[in-house]
Amino acid sequence: DIQMTQSPSSLSASVGDRVTITCRASQAITNSLAWYQQKPGKAPKLLLYAASKLEGGVPSRFSGSASGTDYTLTISSLQPEDFATYYCQQYYRTPLFGQGTKVEIK
Amino acid sequence: QVQLVESGGGVVQPGGSLRLSCGASEFSFRSYGMHWVRQAPGKGLEWVAFIHSDGSYKDYADSVKGRFTISRDNSKNTLYLQMNSLRTEDTAVYYCAKDWRRGLSGYDPWAYFDCWGQGTLVTVSS
């Protein structure tokens, strides 16, 4: 079975900071990776799919990249509305989510 | 605007049953596969079940196989999850989620989810 390891589990950052979150797959998943944002008490929201494709309506400060089995979500300049928990999800096989990264205000 | 609205959650004793519903609107429901995803309190997301757009193919997480049944009524634009033999570890918010793939392709659950409902809480407790 494919395993997904997301890091860090939490981070503290300030408005305007550049933030990077990483997911590592246990095997090749050929960019079949999505990123979601979840705010407390709300449903997850799709941000990116196919590792780097931005979902419609998502601000361009969000971007995704891939290197081998490592996938990265970058927020170029953190905004107040970006404080949330972020999840990666592989869909190369049976959907599996990473453990989540909580982005908190420093 | 695509809309998914879950209902049917509540408190049930271990070993009990519950049926969740998810009403869909503002998209061609019969053209898309649908999923259930759950989130235990304070925990991460777990995929639960998938049903193909025409209802002919279904798949389940090992943790619910044999206990949960996913179904749909395309005439009513509604997705269901019948949950039997509930356990305390099934306590979670249950979300219905739309598969991004349109059409008759996708006889597998290998997809991302481009729209989610607001979730319904299921609590299994004595």
Side-chain angles (χ1 to χ4, degrees), chain A residues 54-78:
Chain A
L54 207 62
E55 175 71 347
V58 174
S60 59
R61 62 181 179 273
F62 293 92
S63 64
S65 63
S67 176
T69 59
D70 288 346
Y71 295 84
T72 300
L73 170 69
T74 300
I75 309 172
S76 60
S77 177
L78 198 65

Side-chain angles (χ1 to χ4, degrees), chain B:
Chain B
Q1 179 110 2
V2 171
Q3 192 166 14
L4 298 169
V5 179
E6 301 93 337
S7 60
V11 180
V12 61
Q13 291 188 338
S17 298
L18 210 57
R19 189 177 84 152
L20 306 183
S21 300
C22 170
S25 59
E26 304 303 325
F27 71 102
S28 178
F29 179 73
R30 65 179 64 247
S31 297
Y32 290 89
M34 295 293 296
H35 303 255
W36 287 98
V37 177
R38 69 183 180 183
Q39 186 170 36
K43 302 297 184 182
L45 299 164
E46 179 188 16
W47 173 80
V48 172
F50 163 76
I51 185 167
H52 188 268
S53 59
D54 64 10
S56 63
Y57 178 85
K58 305 173 185 180
D59 199 4
Y60 301 91
D62 288 344
S63 58
V64 306
K65 201 169 291 184
R67 300 187 299 122
F68 289 13
T69 301
I70 189 171
S71 62
R72 64 191 296 160
D73 185 337
N74 286 344
S75 69
K76 295 183 178 178
N77 288 350
T78 303
L79 175 73
Y80 302 100
L81 185 67
Q82 177 66 44
M83 303 185 296
N84 298 333
S85 302
L86 282 161
R87 306 167 180 168
T88 55
E89 56 264 35
D90 295 319
T91 294
V93 174
Y94 285 75
Y95 296 100
C96 62
K98 175 181 164 292
D99 194 305
W100 72 275
R101 300 169 296 183
R102 182 186 177 103
L104 293 178
S105 65
Y107 282 91
D108 60 65
W110 307 341
Y112 62 86
F113 318 115
D114 60 2
C115 184
W116 300 61
Q118 86 287 352
T120 187
L121 177 61
V122 173
T123 302
V124 185
S125 173
S126 55

Side-chain angles (χ1 to χ4, degrees), chain A residues 4-8 20-24 31-38 44-55 58 62-66 70-74 85-91 97-101, chain B residues 45 112-113 116:
Chain A
M4 300 298 295
T5 303
Q6 186 173 342
S7 62
T20 299
I21 299 168
T22 298
C23 265
R24 173 168 290 174
N31 288 356
S32 298
L33 187 107
W35 289 97
Y36 301 88
Q37 176 193 66
Q38 186 179 33
K45 173 189 173 185
L46 177 66
L47 298 177
L48 297 108
Y49 59 94
S52 61
K53 298 186 186 301
L54 207 62
E55 175 71 347
V58 174
F62 293 92
S63 64
S65 63
D70 288 346
Y71 295 84
T72 300
L73 170 69
T74 300
T85 299
Y86 294 84
Y87 293 94
C88 63
Q89 178 231 326
Q90 68 81 15
Y91 53 96
F97 295 88
Q99 298 86 347
T101 297
Chain B
L45 299 164
Y112 62 86
F113 318 115
W116 300 61

